[in-house]
Amino acid sequence: MSLAEQIYAQALVLTQDSTQMNLPMLEVLCRSAENTLQRKLREGITPEDCKADFIAAASLLALAALSEQDEVAQVEQIQTGDLTLRRGSPDTAACCLRYQAELMMAPYLQDKFLFAGV
């Protein structure tokens, strides 16, 4: 199984309801997340060196991107008579997923600073 396929499989495991998802889009986003993370790795580190973290982080990044894509498609405001519904702040779930991926990969990425226990 290729790395991209492993990332996609992990993303499917992390989703709660894959029947409602755009699975072809998720597959593309998994490949994109793989490429993005691979380019950010410190010199001398390969995805194989941090395989479990790499796969988990890439799948989180793909799910964050998919979540943001779904958010873009949603209506900003609906008004009916005296009732107005507005969408809240940007997708919090996507921000949390991206943050978790960054924390997971921080020891392996260039230009990242991480405190370690002493």
Side-chain angles (χ1 to χ4, degrees):
M1 185 182 283
S2 74
L3 193 57
E5 291 169 334
Q6 291 175 51
I7 293 167
Y8 179 68
Q10 179 74 42
L12 288 177
V13 167
L14 294 173
T15 60
Q16 293 187 359
D17 185 11
S18 62
T19 60
Q20 301 294 328
M21 293 183 64
N22 184 345
L23 296 180
M25 174 72 82
L26 179 60
E27 190 170 2
V28 168
L29 292 171
C30 285
R31 291 180 197 282
S32 175
E34 175 189 10
N35 292 333
T36 299
L37 275 181
Q38 200 162 11
R39 283 192 314 269
K40 291 182 177 184
L41 288 174
R42 284 193 332 241
E43 189 174 328
I45 295 182
T46 67
E48 294 299 320
D49 295 335
C50 52
K51 189 173 184 177
D53 288 338
F54 188 91
I55 290 170
S59 64
L60 290 175
L61 290 175
L63 290 172
L66 186 65
S67 179
E68 288 173 334
Q69 184 66 31
D70 290 344
E71 189 74 17
V72 168
Q74 292 181 2
V75 176
E76 185 70 33
Q77 178 175 332
I78 298 173
Q79 186 170 2
T80 306
D82 292 339
L83 178 67
T84 302
L85 299 173
R86 292 188 186 129
R87 185 177 60 177
S89 62
D91 192 1
T92 305
C95 292
C96 289
L97 291 171
R98 190 167 279 110
Y99 180 70
Q100 288 301 316
E102 287 176 8
L103 283 178
M104 202 175 293
M105 291 301 294
Y108 312 107
L109 301 180
Q110 0 174 352
D111 301 327
K112 289 291 180 183
F113 182 79
L114 178 68
F115 282 103
V118 287

